[in-house]
Structures are given as C-alpha cells and as structure tokens.
Amino acid sequence: MDEAAAAIADPIRREILTMLRGTRLTAGAIAAQFPISRPAISRHLRVLRDSGLVHDDLVGRQRYYSLDVAPLRELRSWIDELHRPTGWEHRLDALTTEVYRTRREHRAEQENPGRHPAEPENKENSA
C-alpha cells in the first residue's frame, strides 16, 4: 500500500496512470504528452513499475506500458474504511432514518385517519 500511495503522490505519475487507462502506450508516446525530458518520464515509469501499478511488455524494439490497478485495492479499502461511519456517527445515522420514517408514517396517518400506516389502502370495491 505504501509503494502505491507514494507512486500516486506525484501529479505526473497520476496523469500517466490516467493515460494508460484502457490502453497500452510506449514510453515515447507517454513522453510526448509532457513538457519534461524523456529521462524524467523514464524515471516516473520506473517508479510506477516498481510499485506494480504499470507493467511493461517488450514487443520488438518497443516497450509498451499498461495499467494494473491491483496495488490500489488495499489503498482503496483503507480509504473506504476512513469514510465509514463509526460509533456515534453510525447510531446517529440510524436515528435520522428512524425520525424520517416516523414523520412519514405520522403524515400518512393525518391524511388517512383511522387507517394504520402499515396497512395498504384498499381502492377496490369488495364484493
């Protein structure tokens, strides 16, 4: 997780990952999109390769880079865990849900007095 987090910390590397989403590109094609030197792009690609976020395949004299999001799964799980409500937040969310449900039932009772909110309205004439 730490290697993936360090790799995506740089905006150029994040841009490279976005470029590789759904396609394979050569280092030259990647470098052509940036105003920095090819050796600098090579260093960025090495960091991404070492973190496991990209794989390279040699085809003839060309090296193609492709995206691998697997190393981001652990990082994503950790971030998702931070967003998950804890303790009182979870209880307050449940309380909010219950308050809205009770209000809805109370409104339904005022609109249809004498009918229990859980009972469905019978609009058909019974024979």
Side-chain angles (χ1 to χ4, degrees), residues 6-7 16 28 33 42-43 47 58 60 62 66 71 80 94 99 109 111 114 116 120 123:
I16 291 170
Q33 302 300 313
S42 290
R43 286 191 293 275
V47 170
L58 191 59
Q62 296 287 334
S66 57
D80 288 346
V99 166
E109 176 63 30
E111 292 171 2
H116 189 275
K123 295 187 178 184

Side-chain angles (χ1 to χ4, degrees), residues 68-106:
D68 182 358
V69 295
L72 294 175
R73 285 189 188 116
E74 185 180 357
L75 183 60
R76 182 178 183 163
S77 295
W78 180 77
I79 290 170
D80 288 346
E81 189 63 35
L82 291 177
H83 284 280
R84 205 168 277 126
T86 60
W88 282 105
E89 284 181 52
H90 180 68
R91 289 180 181 99
L92 290 174
D93 286 347
L95 177 62
T96 301
T97 301
E98 186 62 24
V99 166
Y100 283 121
R101 185 187 63 76
T102 303
R103 283 182 183 168
R104 189 173 54 247
E105 288 178 358
H106 183 68

